[in-house]
Amino acid sequence: MKHIVKIMTLLVGISALWFGLLMTSMVPSSHTLLLPIYFITCLGCYGLLMVGVGLMRFPTCPQEALLLQQDIIEAKDYLKQRGVDVCSE
Amino acid sequence: MAERNKYSIIIPTYNERLNIALVVFLVFKHLRDVDFEIIVVDDGSPDGTQEVVKQLQQVYGEDRILLRARPKKLGLGTAYSHGLKHASGNFVVIMDADLSHHPKYLPSFIKKQLETGASIVTGTRYVKGGGVHGWNLMRKLTSRGANVLAQTLLWPGVSDLTGSFRLYRKSVLEDIISSCVSKGYVFQMEMIVRASRKGYHIEEVPITFVDRVYGSSKLGGSEIVEYLKGLAYLLVTT
């Protein structure tokens, strides 16, 4: 099924759960009414955490730039000998 | 006995007269015992890219380097379709011409596909063994933020959605490309997400991405807006 349908189903399920909690009043309704806000806040925090962690652990490869420069020199030499125009603009 | 595999490497170009020569050299250097062809799809570059390609054809052979030019800039998606029409291999590699995709990873793409029988092998910059160079903090932040958003909304099953260094089984690429309508890098996202939805076996290999050395980047403009629009579109239609 389409992805959006999956997400909608999940949201409907969660909403039904929340509604059920409201109706049965097992938990005081003042708390229950605030649950969606808690949920969205948690989701937002989780997202920010993921971005932050990912940013810290972002893989970098400075040595690759050097290797690339070597490759470029090798390529230019080879091609120049064989009549390919390799002057940069 | 496995049938011989042939790899068609499609490289769209626009004003890449120096980069295309370097890329072609590196492809030939790293793919020694492999049957392949390079298909250069040039969109009428005014800087003489096509002349350089013709010189390369003299060095490497016109059967190994195909020039399939178009009269003007017609976009990335159609460049792939155009190249695909002329591809004689049973596998297709798509990559950029600006050396941010290094041909030295081509053997690892091929090896991964042979080992796993995957329909698609996509390069990822975001795992151990991969990486980027030449990105400032802002660019890393936007990249990471965009990635987290896309992962949360789309559950795509791959770690690098906007990457465009990929190996496809030719039949699979033909199937997906016909159902994709986006432009630019959202097109790359759409391709991999649709492939994931259709249940194709997708594998990843780490690649390093060094920001381009020569020439000017084609990236510019209000990308964030385009990206969000693209995400919304993919969320609803895939």
Side-chain angles (χ1 to χ4, degrees):
Chain A
M1 70 171 98
K2 281 229 167 37
H3 185 67
I4 188 78
V5 174
K6 257 193 242 174
I7 296 207
M8 285 300 162
T9 318
L10 199 66
L11 286 176
V12 166
I14 295 179
S15 306
L17 200 69
W18 177 65
F19 217 62
L21 271 178
L22 264 181
M23 292 287 109
T24 61
S25 301
M26 279 198 298
V27 181
S29 57
S30 53
H31 288 318
T32 319
L33 281 172
L34 287 173
L35 272 179
I37 313 242
Y38 294 151
F39 177 67
I40 293 176
T41 314
C42 284
L43 205 64
C45 289
Y46 177 74
L48 285 172
L49 187 72
M50 286 291 104
V51 172
V53 168
L55 199 61
M56 281 194 304
R57 300 180 60 229
F58 212 114
T60 54
C61 50
Q63 73 283 4
E64 291 292 333
L66 283 164
L67 291 172
L68 183 60
Q69 289 305 320
Q70 288 169 355
D71 282 330
I72 291 177
I73 293 170
E74 185 190 342
K76 279 186 170 175
D77 280 336
Y78 181 93
L79 292 170
K80 213 181 285 202
Q81 283 171 17
R82 282 161 184 76
V84 180
D85 186 8
V86 285
C87 315
S88 32
E89 45 277 348
Chain B
M1 174 83 97
E3 54 176 61
R4 269 282 281 161
N5 289 325
K6 182 170 179 186
Y7 300 87
S8 298
I9 305 173
I10 302 178
I11 307 179
T13 60
Y14 187 75
N15 284 347
E16 302 282 12
R17 67 173 287 140
L18 176 54
N19 284 327
I20 191 64
L22 303 174
V23 167
V24 167
F25 169 81
L26 289 169
V27 171
F28 275 90
K29 178 181 172 187
H30 290 280
L31 284 185
R32 292 274 173 193
D33 294 314
V34 177
D35 187 12
F36 71 91
E37 61 183 0
I38 300 177
I39 304 174
V40 179
V41 181
D42 183 73
D43 281 357
S45 300
D47 74 342
T49 302
Q50 294 184 27
E51 276 67 56
V52 175
V53 176
K54 293 195 181 116
Q55 289 168 1
L56 291 165
Q57 283 177 320
Q58 296 308 308
V59 178
Y60 293 105
E62 282 180 17
D63 56 328
R64 306 306 292 282
I65 303 180
L66 281 62
L67 176 62
R68 296 291 176 262
R70 302 189 301 173
K72 58 180 182 148
K73 260 201 199 179
L74 293 170
L76 204 57
T78 48
Y80 293 146
S81 307
H82 187 75
L84 203 52
K85 281 199 275 267
H86 304 282
S88 61
N90 56 336
F91 285 97
V92 176
V93 174
I94 59 166
M95 59 188 289
D96 289 350
D98 63 358
L99 289 174
S100 55
H101 295 158
H102 199 301
K104 69 182 174 190
Y105 294 105
L106 287 169
S108 67
F109 278 85
I110 294 173
K111 181 159 172 263
K112 188 70 158 183
Q113 194 284 322
L114 289 171
E115 277 170 359
T116 62
S119 298
I120 303 177
V121 180
T122 176
T124 168
R125 299 159 286 184
Y126 300 137
V127 300
K128 194 155 186 239
V132 301
H133 177 75
W135 284 17
N136 59 15
L137 188 66
M138 202 57 208
R139 188 158 173 199
K140 284 187 198 166
L141 181 64
T142 24
S143 163
R144 184 64 193 161
N147 197 266
V148 167
L149 192 61
Q151 295 288 336
T152 311
L153 288 178
L154 293 176
W155 314 348
V158 293
S159 61
D160 191 343
L161 271 178
T162 52
S164 52
F165 196 178
R166 296 183 186 150
L167 165 69
Y168 294 85
R169 202 182 292 275
K170 185 173 168 203
S171 52
V172 171
L173 183 58
E174 281 165 346
D175 178 28
I176 303 172
I177 223 170
S178 58
S179 48
C180 290
V181 295
S182 309
K183 306 259 175 278
Y185 62 86
V186 179
F187 172 74
Q188 302 293 354
M189 286 167 55
E190 188 179 2
M191 291 238 277
I192 203 73
V193 171
R194 287 209 189 275
S196 179
R197 303 283 185 251
K198 288 192 187 209
Y200 284 119
H201 182 175
I202 305 176
E203 291 284 340
E204 291 192 304
V205 293
I207 56 165
T208 54
F209 184 98
V210 178
D211 220 7
R212 60 157 59 230
V213 178
Y214 296 113
S216 59
S217 179
K218 311 300 178 297
L219 249 50
S222 51
E223 283 145 43
I224 295 184
V225 174
E226 287 308 305
Y227 180 77
L228 292 174
K229 284 204 282 194
L231 265 190
Y233 166 78
L234 288 177
L235 184 62
V236 174
T237 60
T238 60

